[in-house]
Amino acid sequence: MLILPASIFTLLIAKRSRALTEEEELIWQAWTEESPAHAAEAQRMAQLIDETVQAELNHSIDVQSGWKKVAANTRSSAGWKRRKIRLLWRNIAAVLFPLACVGSLLLWQRQPEPAATILPTNIVPGSPKAELILAGGETIRLDPKTQQKITNREGHSIGVDSANRLVYSSQPTRSTEWHTLRIPQGGEYQLTLPDGSEVWLNSASELHFPVAFNENERRVTLKGEAYFEVKKSAQPFIVGTDQGEVRVLGTRFNLNAYPDEQQTVTTLVEGAVEFRHEQNRLRLQPGEQAVLDNRTEKVDVRQVNTSLYTSWVNGIFEYERMPLAAIMRQLARWYDIDYRFEDREFEEHPFTGIVRRDQKLDKILGMIGKTTRVTFEISGRTIYIKKKRTI
């Protein structure tokens, strides 16, 4: 699915609050008519927001004035000028999360329960951090605050690390030297490969790649999760994992291949990819996802809302009826924590909402606690998930 640009999302908020000017109405109409994808994404976001606002109506809230407040917050925080999508989504989430939580909250309103109490902690969100392992085994800790050159075994400069991004330059060489970019729990990093392809690496992930691609293929190996924007080329781009491989020529896709997950998931945003596992050859179209069950080795293809699987790149966790256990695995990697379920029945409890990745953990847990039948207790860096006691 498409992620709405800043100005368009602002127009959507203004439209729902009936605050569009004539000029803005023309801009909105032109954008939605530009392509079916634009119209579909605008409709999806509008429906999600309308449903949650309607839930507020059931609680006798003044919806129209609420919408105007949302519009004012969106304009003031996001600004009318286009900004980077990463900053945009952090502002959007701050506005949308309380609304998105309402639907889940209503499910439990018949049973009076105390509000979840989460004591403030010093568990802060992850940040850009990584280490680069060179061909000879030397490890370089990448510091986003400084700039440093990366050299090969011959001492020639082949890349530079600066501003949370490691950039490799195209090398006219037949070098077989390989490097590994390793991201710890609580980290993330961006990488530009020698061919210009962009990679966003999530927490607890690593990418093994050559300092120069050969003439036949562009091959890398992934453990964990990464989002790829692959430069178009006649050479196939191949991402290998322990469970299979993805082959592309030029595209945008997300690959989740964490060892502790039961599934290996390839989500295609743009272009075309082929997922390969043993004898299976599955070609995906935009909006499709290949899901490999790592236990049964069965592969399924399904239509999905791709933003649910790629929003982390823009600083957001977006959930749509995601099991709480899956959410906790994700939070554990990002906040570098452990967790324990007191009662396993809550592992499959679904949660819907939009969460900013730059918030402290106690704030996110407090939000989840308000819309579920669980409460969280924090001891050191371990989270205990318990049943919420009724009054």
Side-chain angles (χ1 to χ4, degrees):
M1 288 290 180
L2 195 68
I3 296 179
L4 274 65
S7 58
I8 296 300
F9 187 85
T10 306
L11 289 178
L12 172 59
I13 296 296
K15 185 174 181 64
R16 310 315 283 184
S17 59
R18 301 177 183 176
L20 282 181
T21 66
E22 291 184 7
E23 181 181 2
E24 291 170 345
E25 182 68 49
L26 291 175
I27 296 174
W28 171 261
Q29 184 176 351
W31 189 84
T32 54
E33 293 178 355
E34 185 176 347
S35 74
H38 287 183
E41 182 64 6
Q43 182 178 4
R44 185 186 76 85
M45 290 298 297
Q47 182 178 353
L48 171 64
I49 299 170
D50 284 348
E51 287 175 354
T52 51
V53 170
Q54 185 58 45
E56 290 281 10
L57 180 61
N58 294 337
H59 278 197
S60 302
I61 299 295
D62 186 343
V63 176
Q64 192 61 30
S65 64
W67 264 118
K68 290 180 178 178
K69 182 178 180 181
V70 170
N73 287 342
T74 303
R75 286 178 182 271
S76 62
S77 60
W80 187 239
K81 295 182 180 180
R82 180 185 298 271
R83 296 186 181 181
K84 293 182 180 179
I85 292 179
R86 184 183 183 90
L87 296 177
L88 158 70
W89 268 107
R90 289 178 178 176
N91 290 324
I92 291 172
V95 175
L96 288 187
F97 188 89
L99 297 176
C101 290
V102 173
S104 300
L105 181 60
L106 291 175
L107 295 176
W108 311 116
Q109 65 178 355
R110 296 181 181 178
Q111 302 180 10
E113 299 173 354
T117 301
I118 307 296
L119 296 177
T121 71
N122 291 322
I123 301 180
V124 297
S127 60
K129 60 174 71 80
E131 59 182 20
L132 180 66
I133 304 173
L134 305 181
E138 179 187 355
T139 298
I140 301 175
R141 187 176 299 277
L142 303 182
D143 185 350
K145 297 180 181 180
T146 61
Q147 178 172 309
Q148 54 186 321
K149 292 183 178 180
I150 308 301
T151 59
N152 60 15
R153 283 178 291 196
E154 289 75 33
H156 300 138
S157 177
I158 57 175
V160 63
D161 174 55
S162 176
N164 309 335
R165 179 188 295 269
L166 179 61
V167 179
Y168 277 71
S169 56
S170 177
Q171 297 294 316
T173 176
R174 297 181 180 272
S175 172
T176 58
E177 188 172 335
W178 284 64
H179 290 177
T180 299
L181 183 61
R182 179 175 295 163
I183 317 299
Q185 289 203 161
E188 63 179 356
Y189 224 75
Q190 297 180 38
L191 168 68
T192 300
L193 292 168
D195 67 333
S197 294
E198 304 282 351
V199 186
W200 285 255
L201 281 158
N202 208 347
S203 303
S205 302
E206 65 178 58
L207 191 75
H208 191 52
F209 59 95
V211 299
F213 291 116
N214 62 41
E215 298 177 353
N216 300 319
E217 64 182 20
R218 298 171 290 168
R219 179 179 290 273
V220 299
T221 303
L222 172 70
K223 291 182 180 179
E225 183 174 25
Y227 177 81
F228 294 84
E229 291 189 357
V230 179
K231 281 283 187 180
K232 291 184 178 180
S233 171
Q235 298 170 287
F237 188 96
I238 304 169
V239 184
T241 72
D242 290 340
Q243 294 77 28
E245 66 180 35
V246 177
R247 301 174 67 92
V248 306
L249 293 177
T251 187
R252 299 181 182 183
F253 68 98
N254 193 81
L255 178 55
N256 185 316
Y258 283 112
D260 61 341
E261 295 288 353
Q262 297 179 358
Q263 298 175 328
T264 298
V265 182
T266 304
T267 306
L268 180 62
V269 177
E270 179 183 290
V273 304
E274 181 180 73
F275 178 76
R276 295 186 177 189
H277 173 69
E278 296 184 346
Q279 302 304 315
N280 292 305
R281 300 289 188 273
L282 299 174
R283 189 174 180 84
L284 302 182
Q285 299 300 319
E288 290 185 338
Q289 183 179 80
V291 181
L292 167 66
D293 188 309
N294 297 330
R295 295 171 300 177
T296 66
E297 297 192 350
K298 179 182 178 182
V299 185
D300 291 320
V301 175
R302 59 193 183 191
Q303 290 279 342
V304 297
N305 169 14
T306 60
S307 69
L308 295 174
Y309 304 90
T310 62
S311 60
W312 66 267
V313 176
N314 297 310
I316 295 294
F317 287 132
E318 185 177 350
Y319 303 122
E320 187 173 292
R321 297 191 61 80
M322 178 176 283
L324 188 55
I327 293 175
M328 291 308 301
R329 289 195 298 272
Q330 195 176 66
L331 294 179
R333 288 189 286 261
W334 181 233
Y335 289 91
D336 191 16
I337 58 168
D338 293 318
Y339 63 90
R340 302 285 187 275
F341 278 91
E342 183 182 67
D343 192 329
R344 299 196 65 177
E345 76 168 287
F346 294 113
E347 292 184 4
E348 297 303 314
H349 182 76
F351 174 78
T352 297
I354 301 175
V355 180
R356 290 166 43 186
R357 279 165 58 102
D358 65 348
Q359 296 182 106
K360 286 188 175 182
L361 180 62
D362 55 288
K363 187 170 184 179
I364 290 180
L365 296 180
M367 291 175 178
I368 296 176
K370 291 177 182 178
T371 63
T372 62
R373 289 183 296 173
V374 303
T375 187
F376 301 90
E377 291 184 8
I378 302 176
S379 177
R381 300 194 70 84
T382 301
I383 312 302
Y384 295 91
I385 302 101
K386 300 183 176 183
K387 183 176 182 179
K388 190 181 295 181
R389 293 178 295 178
T390 60
I391 296 176

